């Protein structure tokens, strides 16, 4: 059951990051989950594990990390589209 909650929380964090940045995360729900997990890893690496935690995600660092990840990903994809 813990793994399922991790997927759900990761997806919500990735979705929120995409909404805040104003860009869609590629690959839909799977992309949101990946963005949430990468964001959680990136956020905890940079900011540590402070703030409220849900399903082993420190929510604030995970959301900030996911926002950074989605922003960088959107810049990379935009650059790839221009190069094509």
């Amino acid at each position: 059951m813990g793994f399922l909650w991790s997927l759900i929380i990761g997806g919500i964090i990735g979705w929120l990051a995409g909404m805040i940045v104003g860009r869609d995360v590629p690959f839909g729900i799977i992309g949101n989950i990946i963005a949430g997990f990468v964001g959680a890893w990136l956020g905890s690496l940079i900011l540590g594990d402070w703030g409220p935690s849900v399903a082993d995600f420190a929510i604030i660092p995970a959301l900030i990390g996911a926002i950074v990840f989605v922003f960088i990903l959107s810049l990379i994809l935009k650059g790839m589209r221009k190069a094509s």
Side-chain angles (χ1 to χ4, degrees):
M1 190 65 164
F3 181 70
L4 179 62
W5 278 114
S6 293
L7 290 177
I8 292 169
I9 299 300
I12 291 171
I13 289 171
W15 173 74
L16 284 172
M19 296 292 287
I20 290 169
V21 173
R23 309 247 198 271
D24 287 333
V25 177
F27 308 114
I29 294 170
I30 302 296
N32 285 333
I33 293 170
I34 292 170
F37 275 92
V38 171
W41 173 76
L42 186 63
S44 67
L45 199 72
I46 296 169
L47 302 170
D49 292 332
W50 55 276
S53 293
V54 176
D56 293 332
F57 284 91
I59 299 298
I60 296 169
L63 185 58
I64 292 170
I67 290 168
V68 169
F69 177 70
V70 169
F71 181 74
I72 291 171
L73 183 64
S74 69
L75 290 178
I76 291 169
L77 293 175
K78 185 178 179 181
M80 289 176 66
R81 281 186 226 136
K82 283 186 178 180
S84 296

